[in-house]
Amino acid sequence: MYKNIKLSASLMCADWLNLKNEIQQLEENKIDYIHYDVIDGRYAPDFTMGSSIIDLVTKSTNLPSHYHLMVEEPMRIFDRFKLDKNDIFTIHQETSKNLHRDIVAVKEKARVALALSPATPLEHMEYVLEDVENVLLLTVNPGFMSQKMIPQIVRKIDNLK
């Protein structure tokens, strides 16, 4: 029934004092990707891990990475990440001044995905949809974990499908 579904576990929700064990559990449960939420405090009102912390984690696992950048102008920090062709690099339509240029640049080093915040209409990705492998529709506003899902997103997911 569900084809091509991949699971990506966010480290934003991890117990940071027990991170090594939590990553082991993800590996044992055959998670598809480790999801890194990178937040700069500008686009989204919190801060998370930077590239130096992410590099330490990626050295300790063979799981592919899914980078979700909730930062203003994500390409300004793009080269700080050690990407593999199997990694997914997700940028927000709302944060990129030249979205097509940024998508093309990411595709040279990794798989590219486009993220949309809850209030961003699907039409905003109309002319770049063919250039991305995945679309990440946020079901909450960017920035904090444990928020309640915005109910209107169910309709948005159906419209994208």
Side-chain angles (χ1 to χ4, degrees):
M1 181 171 152
Y2 298 104
K3 295 186 260 182
N4 300 321
I5 293 177
K6 302 286 184 186
L7 297 177
S8 182
S10 175
L11 287 191
M12 187 175 184
C13 301
D15 174 358
W16 283 88
L17 299 178
N18 193 24
L19 189 59
K20 185 175 182 177
N21 291 333
E22 294 209 352
I23 290 172
Q24 269 183 320
Q25 287 180 12
L26 294 175
E27 292 170 338
E28 290 167 8
N29 287 292
K30 301 192 184 324
I31 197 79
D32 296 298
Y33 293 92
I34 292 185
H35 185 102
Y36 302 99
D37 289 298
V38 180
I39 302 174
D40 67 355
R42 296 168 91 184
Y43 173 66
D46 199 2
F47 296 92
T48 57
M49 65 207 99
S51 59
S52 57
I53 292 172
I54 292 171
D55 287 345
L56 290 173
V57 174
T58 59
K59 287 178 187 175
S60 70
T61 182
N62 290 324
L63 290 171
S65 299
H66 182 179
Y67 301 88
H68 176 199
L69 272 72
M70 292 176 269
V71 302
E72 289 293 335
E73 286 302 319
M75 298 313 286
R76 70 185 163 80
I77 62 172
F78 176 67
D79 289 329
R80 294 187 185 152
F81 298 97
K82 295 177 178 133
L83 300 174
D84 180 270
K85 281 286 188 190
N86 291 320
D87 293 340
I88 299 172
F89 197 84
T90 302
I91 55 178
H92 274 263
Q93 182 277 336
E94 305 90 357
T95 65
S96 182
K97 288 183 184 166
N98 190 329
L99 184 60
H100 186 264
R101 178 194 62 210
D102 293 349
I103 289 170
V104 169
V106 171
K107 285 173 85 168
E108 292 178 10
K109 293 188 177 183
R111 298 167 61 201
V112 65
L114 182 63
L116 294 180
S117 292
T120 304
L122 292 174
E123 292 78 21
H124 284 210
M125 65 178 183
E126 182 177 351
Y127 297 104
V128 295
L129 192 56
E130 299 87 14
D131 296 313
V132 299
E133 286 190 42
N134 297 291
V135 174
L136 175 63
L137 295 180
L138 275 69
T139 59
V140 298
N141 286 307
F144 296 102
M145 62 183 185
S146 301
Q147 298 178 62
K148 289 185 180 179
M149 185 179 105
I150 299 169
Q152 298 89 323
I153 301 305
V154 174
R155 187 173 69 242
K156 188 176 186 179
I157 292 168
D158 191 47
N159 290 340
L160 177 61
K161 189 171 76 174

